[in-house]
Amino acid sequence: MINVSNFQIAIDGPSGAGKSTVAKIVANQLNFIYVDTGAMYRSAALYGMRRGIDLTNEALVEAFIKNVDVILKNVGGGQIVLLNGEDITNKIRTQEVSGATSVISKVNCVRQKMTALQRQYADNYNVVMEGRDIGSVVLPNAQVKIYLDASASARAERRFRELIGRGFEADFQKIKSEVEQRDIADMNREISPLRRPDGKTYIADYIDSSDMTAQEAAFAILNIVNKKLGV
Ligand code: DC
């Protein structure tokens, strides 16, 4: 455990790079709060889906977003997600919610609301926050910024193994092409796209986890944190 306050570790990267597993290990190790920003966007999507709202319609999204109250609670090394008091931790992990989230996360008023909420966590706690725009937009002054990458093949293989391990059928080529499509969507949207560090406007330590375990990637991040702190 280290004795600091308002220390910010921002972890960005494409989906399937292992951000949430790695961020949780780092947060537990340092006794920081883990903030899964994807879960916030997923919660907003679930709220709209349940009401049958067309999430591509910005005016309709703007009308309901003020009613979306998301709280992330760190419990026992994990995190539960509360939407207006209801535990929706598992309900936001379906394919359907993933699809709706990639739509709603493009809407400006949604990004503004979630960004403000994310900054509140960082104002009050030491955080390990993971997402797509944390180091570039949400916490531009974060003491540690990480871009956690992995090749599309490695990410598809992890997903493939996970599905097979859970007893589902899976098609590797199909999963790989979905991974690539998601990268294109995340990197090319107008507001807060996922950006690779360019060494000028967005500087971050780049970690390629294709051939690393989550523990190894977390260890690499902890080393960067320790260097920053002069430990
Ligand atoms: O990390 P995840 O798979 O739970 O993210 C779900 C969706 O939310 C995904 O489409 C990317 C989007 N997202 C975003 O736009 N900005 C963030 N900071 C986090 C997630």
Side-chain angles (χ1 to χ4, degrees), residues 27 35-36 51 59 65 67 73-74 78-79 93 97 103 115-116 124 129 142 149 162-163 165 167-168 185 187 193 201:
V35 184
D36 172 359
R51 286 157 184 80
I65 196 67
N67 302 323
K73 260 194 173 172
N74 276 239
Q79 179 192 254
R93 298 293 158 194
V97 173
V103 176
T115 299
N124 290 304
M129 191 177 288
D149 208 354
E162 184 198 329
L163 287 170
F168 293 108
M187 290 181 154
T201 53

Side-chain angles (χ1 to χ4, degrees), residues 13-179:
S15 79
K19 294 186 301 295
S20 53
T21 312
V22 171
K24 269 185 213 159
I25 299 172
V26 173
N28 283 332
Q29 199 67 33
L30 298 172
N31 205 22
F32 282 16
I33 296 288
Y34 162 60
V35 184
D36 172 359
T37 62
M40 296 178 175
Y41 290 99
R42 286 172 180 272
S43 304
L46 180 67
Y47 185 98
M49 272 169 67
R50 282 177 166 177
R51 286 157 184 80
I53 295 166
D54 172 7
L55 302 181
T56 62
N57 184 322
E58 293 205 12
L60 294 180
V61 172
E62 193 155 5
F64 79 70
I65 196 67
K66 60 181 176 302
N67 302 323
V68 174
D69 177 33
V70 186
I71 296 176
L72 304 181
K73 260 194 173 172
N74 276 239
V75 281
Q79 179 192 254
I80 61 168
V81 187
L82 299 174
L83 170 61
N84 295 335
E86 177 192 349
D87 182 351
I88 51 147
T89 312
N90 298 321
K91 295 185 184 126
I92 53 173
R93 298 293 158 194
T94 64
Q95 279 298 106
E96 214 190 346
V97 173
S98 297
T101 308
S102 75
V103 176
I104 204 171
S105 61
K106 289 187 200 138
V107 180
N108 197 15
C109 63
V110 177
R111 294 214 77 84
Q112 277 178 14
K113 171 161 180 149
M114 297 310 167
T115 299
L117 184 57
Q118 290 153 18
R119 287 180 179 152
Q120 268 178 30
Y121 280 95
D123 284 345
N124 290 304
Y125 304 100
N126 294 315
V127 290
V128 181
M129 191 177 288
E130 55 105 346
R132 305 294 189 287
D133 60 340
I134 310 307
S136 56
V137 175
V138 179
L139 304 177
N141 299 318
Q143 290 89 335
V144 172
K145 294 184 188 180
I146 306 290
Y147 188 92
L148 187 66
D149 208 354
S151 68
S153 295
R155 290 183 282 137
E157 194 167 324
R158 285 174 194 164
R159 178 81 182 133
F160 176 78
R161 287 210 188 130
E162 184 198 329
L163 287 170
I164 297 288
R166 282 162 51 193
F168 293 108
E169 281 191 15
D171 173 342
F172 176 77
Q173 283 309 332
K174 185 163 174 263
I175 294 172
K176 187 170 171 224
S177 115
E178 281 167 6
V179 162

